[in-house]
Amino acid sequence: MEFEVKNLEIQSLVSKTKELTQKIKNIIDNNTNEILRPAPIFDNGFSMINILIEKKLKDINAVLSDKRTYFDFTFNEQLKLFVQERHKENLEKLTDFTFKRHSQFNLSEEWLIPIENCIRTRAKRALEFIEEKNKIMQESQDSLQPKDSHLQEENLEKDSKQKQESA
């Protein structure tokens, strides 16, 4: 289950429009035949790179805003649902994301730079979602805490005195 959740987070971060969980394979130790970890296949051609056209590179987020995930969420909705505190460290790394350039086989810089910027922006947005979730959780916990512990102590003292007087 954890892998599926992580997979949905990755989909929403890189704006994949088709579901990946049906394409999952495993990495297997050839000596022991033990399944080591899942190995998703990301080459189905339905990521943000596939849906972009050159004239839309200046505002990739606008292009993505009307696209929906396999589960009919916007990418931001899906990202907000599945991003968690444990992802923070890797998302912080993505805020400085750059593609590793190959010596011969690359998209042009006019494509790579806007896509890098989009991934950075989405990572920052995911971090904002984590902070929003943390704030909501803290407010929820605070609302469960007694408003004034001093008043609680006074009430306990009154209850104790009443029990002594009635005894």
Side-chain angles (χ1 to χ4, degrees), residues 1-150:
M1 178 64 172
E2 182 179 329
F3 178 75
E4 284 84 7
V5 170
K6 188 179 232 179
N7 196 3
L8 291 171
E9 294 157 359
I10 292 168
Q11 286 180 36
S12 56
L13 188 67
V14 298
S15 308
K16 289 196 68 65
T17 58
K18 297 294 178 186
E19 218 275 305
L20 289 176
T21 55
Q22 297 169 351
K23 300 182 182 294
I24 294 175
K25 303 295 180 197
N26 293 301
I27 296 175
I28 297 173
D29 183 318
N30 290 333
N31 296 321
T32 65
N33 214 23
E34 176 186 357
I35 296 175
L36 300 176
R37 61 189 170 275
I41 300 170
F42 291 96
D43 65 350
N44 66 0
F46 288 104
S47 67
M48 76 168 95
I49 295 170
N50 189 51
I51 61 174
L52 292 175
I53 58 174
E54 191 171 353
K55 66 181 182 179
K56 301 283 186 172
L57 288 174
K58 291 192 184 335
D59 195 1
I60 295 173
N61 287 319
V63 174
L64 299 177
S65 66
D66 67 342
K67 302 293 181 196
R68 312 267 316 162
T69 69
Y70 179 82
F71 298 105
D72 201 32
F73 292 118
T74 67
F75 291 111
N76 279 343
E77 290 170 335
Q78 185 165 307
L79 187 59
K80 188 173 188 174
L81 281 171
F82 293 104
V83 72
Q84 297 177 20
E85 181 72 28
R86 64 188 171 88
H87 304 120
K88 198 171 185 175
E89 182 180 342
N90 287 328
L91 286 167
E92 286 169 348
K93 292 175 187 175
L94 283 174
T95 62
D96 295 321
F97 174 79
T98 57
F99 287 108
K100 183 178 180 179
R101 283 11 183 218
H102 188 274
S103 61
Q104 293 179 303
F105 308 106
N106 290 302
L107 287 172
S108 70
E109 290 296 305
E110 64 190 353
W111 281 85
L112 291 175
I113 291 171
I115 294 169
E116 289 171 339
N117 289 336
C118 182
I119 291 172
R120 289 184 204 126
T121 300
R122 294 196 54 70
K124 289 173 187 171
R125 186 69 181 125
L127 290 166
E128 290 171 6
F129 288 146
I130 291 171
E131 292 307 313
E132 288 174 22
K133 284 181 170 184
N134 288 342
K135 183 178 179 185
I136 290 168
M137 289 297 292
Q138 186 60 50
E139 288 171 356
S140 177
Q141 289 175 356
D142 289 348
S143 71
L144 297 175
Q145 297 297 321
K147 299 284 185 215
D148 190 348
S149 60
H150 186 68

